[in-house]
């Protein structure tokens, strides 16, 4: 390809504006609108994999824009009424199509790379764990933008109408929405009979991704391979439509995208647990004695080790041989809506848990004690407030010998509610003989760890349900 021709294309076409239109909304979403991308261990500037996953999730909006902008670029010759003149020149149509496609691809790839670079600079300042496992996620994101734009160009060349760009952009948006909300979801039921949904293999044809709940969760290799096949077919169809001169050639040009979709669906995994998988290297434990975190959070081990060991000491003094003997960051990845799984011998915690997220020093010790006594049975991915928090407050007060406010992010109003519900039960518990206290606490822990009863009811003297 002639470099001079490419430079002229970049200066005089709408290709540079495609990069701007993709980059500016992305930065606006990330910096102006408040959202989950700024919070916790999965913030887009916290770790490399969340950076890649969060920026990929923006393709829900950016990919339809790329398709529409590609279609606008594909209409250029028709708008300027030069189509017949260009077909009479000796230069092959594929050369002109390649220049057009490459110019747009360069600007879109540069815009997305700059977006990742902005986040990457901040990730370097926030984590000690570096790796390249995130790179395929971002590279496939670039390929989605490029393939979508090339497909838009080809479709507009085949259907040269002013309505084509907005129609393609809206169609692409509807496609991503359906993949994320209905066609790409399979309804399931949890063990408790609660209805939830999980992604299916069709959803992986969409450019966007599921919300990231853990920093060490990534996409599996078959997902990268299947999506790449699908996108190469899409790009091939777009390019073939750009150079097609007859109706028959245009119909033939649809073969790559259809074949790519079929092959991709054969390669893409059908089980959600094989789509989003645990990165074993990222979840590898880094320990200071009995206190362990994942490698992604190794920078926080120094602040956690002291409070963690103190929590274990206090639990040992209160529970004796029944006390847990280690503190570990929870690496279990369960389907949304499922019942959490807890260990009697290990205090499992998550840095994004409301109790632990903002706690430091003594409050972090209290938070780990509360998690060791009543880890909580709210379904995975759901929110809740109620008897678990009341039971945590009573159990923490029993271990410490004094009722303390729960650490974490509870509002002042919720703290007062916890105090009002927990104090009468705590006083009643502390008035019992030591043997009776221990019996009730053990029954409460059994209900809390199995998620088969209400620990607060047990502490109140009721039967475990």
């Amino acid at each position: 390809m002639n470099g001079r021709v490419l430079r002229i294309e970049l200066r005089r076409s709408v290709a540079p504006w495609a990069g701007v239109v993709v980059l500016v909304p992305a930065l606006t979403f990330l910096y102006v609108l408040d959202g989950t991308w700024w919070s916790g261990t999965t913030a887009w500037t916290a770790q490399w994999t969340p950076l890649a996953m969060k920026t990929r999730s923006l393709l829900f909006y950016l990919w339809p824009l790329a398709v529409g902008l590609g279609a606008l670029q594909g209409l250029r010759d028709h708008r300027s009424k030069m189509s017949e003149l260009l077909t009479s020149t000796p230069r092959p149509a594929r050369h002109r199509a390649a220049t057009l496609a490459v110019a747009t691809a360069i600007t879109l790839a540069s815009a997305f790379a700059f977006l990742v670079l902005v986040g990457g600079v901040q990730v370097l300042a926030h984590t000690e764990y570096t790796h390249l496992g995130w790179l395929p996620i971002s590279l496939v994101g670039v390929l989605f933008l490029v393939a979508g734009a090339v497909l838009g160009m080809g479709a507009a060349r085949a259907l040269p109408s002013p309505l084509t760009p907005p129609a393609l952009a809206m169609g692409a948006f509807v496609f991503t929405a359906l993949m994320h909300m209905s066609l790409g979801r399979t309804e399931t039921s949890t063990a408790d009979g609660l209805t939830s949904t999980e992604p299916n293999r069709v959803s992986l044809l969409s450019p966007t991704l599921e919300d990231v709940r853990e920093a060490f969760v990534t996409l599996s290799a078959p997902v990268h391979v299947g999506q790449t096949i699908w996108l190469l077919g899409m790009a091939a169809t777009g390019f073939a439509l750009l150079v097609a001169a007859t109706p028959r050639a245009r119909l033939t040009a649809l073969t790559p995208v259809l074949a790519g979709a079929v092959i991709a669906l054969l390669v893409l995994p059908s089980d959600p647990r094989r789509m989003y998988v645990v990165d074993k290297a990222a979840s590898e434990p880094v320990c200071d004695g009995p206190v362990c975190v994942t490698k992604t959070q190794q920078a926080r081990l120094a602040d956690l080790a002291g409070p963690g060991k103190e929590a274990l000491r206090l639990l040992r003094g209160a529970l004796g041989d029944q006390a847990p003997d280690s503190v570990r960051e929870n690496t279990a990845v369960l389907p949304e809506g499922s019942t959490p799984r807890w260990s009697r011998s290990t205090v499992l915690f998550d840095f994004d848990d409301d109790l632990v997220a903002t706690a430091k020093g003594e409050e972090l010790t209290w938070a780990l004690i509360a998690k060791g006594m009543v880890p909580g049975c709210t379904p995975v991915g759901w929110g809740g407030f109620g008897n678990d928090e009341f039971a945590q407050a009573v159990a923490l007060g029993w271990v410490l010998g004094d009722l303390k406010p729960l650490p974490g992010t509870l509002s002042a109003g919720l703290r007062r509610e916890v105090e009002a519900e927990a104090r009468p039960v705590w006083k009643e518990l502390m008035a019992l003989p030591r043997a009776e206290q221990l019996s009730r606490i053990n029954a409460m822990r059994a209900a809390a760890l199995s998620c088969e009863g209400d620990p607060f009811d047990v502490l109140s003297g009721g039967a475990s349900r």
Side-chain angles (χ1 to χ4, degrees), residues 77 81-93 96 157 242-245 250:
D77 293 347
K81 305 185 186 307
M82 293 178 58
S83 300
E84 291 184 4
L85 175 62
L86 292 173
T87 56
S88 67
T89 62
R91 189 183 181 197
R96 296 195 304 272
R157 184 68 60 86
L242 271 176
V243 300
R250 294 186 183 107

Side-chain angles (χ1 to χ4, degrees), residues 331-363:
T331 58
V333 178
L334 302 174
E336 184 172 355
S338 60
T339 301
R341 300 171 187 171
W342 305 116
S343 168
R344 181 174 291 275
S345 61
T346 303
V347 178
L348 296 173
F349 73 96
D350 190 317
F351 280 110
D352 290 332
D353 186 279
D354 288 342
L355 282 177
V356 179
T358 59
K360 296 181 180 179
E362 186 179 45
E363 282 202 347

Side-chain angles (χ1 to χ4, degrees), residues 136-410:
I137 303 172
S138 292
L139 290 177
V140 172
V142 171
L143 190 53
F144 259 111
L145 289 174
V146 172
V150 174
L151 181 65
M153 291 178 201
R157 184 68 60 86
L159 300 169
S161 166
L163 298 177
T164 300
L168 286 177
M170 182 57 67
F173 180 77
V174 170
F175 172 79
T176 56
L178 290 176
M179 291 299 101
H180 193 66
M181 295 187 299
S182 57
L183 293 181
R185 310 288 299 184
T186 301
E187 189 172 292
T188 60
S189 295
T190 67
D192 298 330
L194 300 174
T195 300
S196 183
T197 61
E198 292 182 343
N200 56 41
R201 60 157 59 100
V202 177
S203 70
L204 297 175
L205 298 179
S206 166
T208 193
L209 298 175
E210 293 292 296
D211 191 31
V212 186
R213 292 205 307 265
E214 303 292 348
F216 44 79
V217 171
T218 187
L219 292 173
S220 64
V223 173
H224 299 317
V225 174
Q227 289 183 334
T228 300
I229 292 171
W230 155 240
L231 294 172
L232 290 176
M234 184 188 299
T237 287
F239 190 80
L241 287 172
L242 271 176
V243 300
T246 65
R248 183 169 183 173
R250 294 186 183 107
L251 285 175
T252 304
L254 299 177
T255 302
V257 71
L258 296 176
V262 171
I263 297 172
L265 290 173
L266 294 175
V267 173
L268 293 169
S270 58
D271 186 349
R273 281 158 287 281
R274 291 180 56 237
M275 299 175 189
Y276 296 87
V277 298
V278 174
D279 183 336
K280 293 182 179 178
S283 62
E284 182 180 337
V286 179
C287 301
D288 182 343
V291 181
C292 300
V293 298
T294 61
K295 188 172 284 188
T296 60
Q297 304 298 331
Q298 58 189 1
R300 304 176 73 167
L301 180 59
D303 294 332
L304 179 73
K309 292 173 183 177
E310 177 64 9
L312 291 176
R313 185 188 70 80
L314 292 170
L315 286 169
R316 179 81 177 182
L319 298 173
D321 294 339
Q322 299 296 315
D325 55 16
S326 62
V327 173
R328 291 179 179 269
E329 185 180 355
N330 194 0
T331 58
V333 178
L334 302 174
E336 184 172 355
S338 60
T339 301
R341 300 171 187 171
W342 305 116
S343 168
R344 181 174 291 275
S345 61
T346 303
V347 178
L348 296 173
F349 73 96
D350 190 317
F351 280 110
D352 290 332
D353 186 279
D354 288 342
L355 282 177
V356 179
T358 59
K360 296 181 180 179
E362 186 179 45
E363 282 202 347
L364 183 53
T365 298
W366 298 352
L368 293 173
I369 291 173
K371 292 295 292 182
M373 297 293 283
V374 185
C377 291
T378 301
V380 174
W382 296 20
F385 175 82
N387 283 6
D388 279 347
E389 285 73 22
F390 305 153
Q392 285 173 339
V394 174
L396 174 63
W398 179 79
V399 172
L400 298 177
D402 187 19
L403 194 66
K404 301 288 186 181
L406 282 180
T409 57
L410 291 179

Side-chain angles (χ1 to χ4, degrees), residues 5-13 15 73 76 99-100 103:
V5 173
L6 181 60
R7 287 194 297 273
I8 293 173
E9 186 74 31
L10 286 170
R11 286 201 309 269
R12 297 184 178 178
S13 72
Q73 181 81 315
R76 184 180 61 178
T99 303
L100 188 68

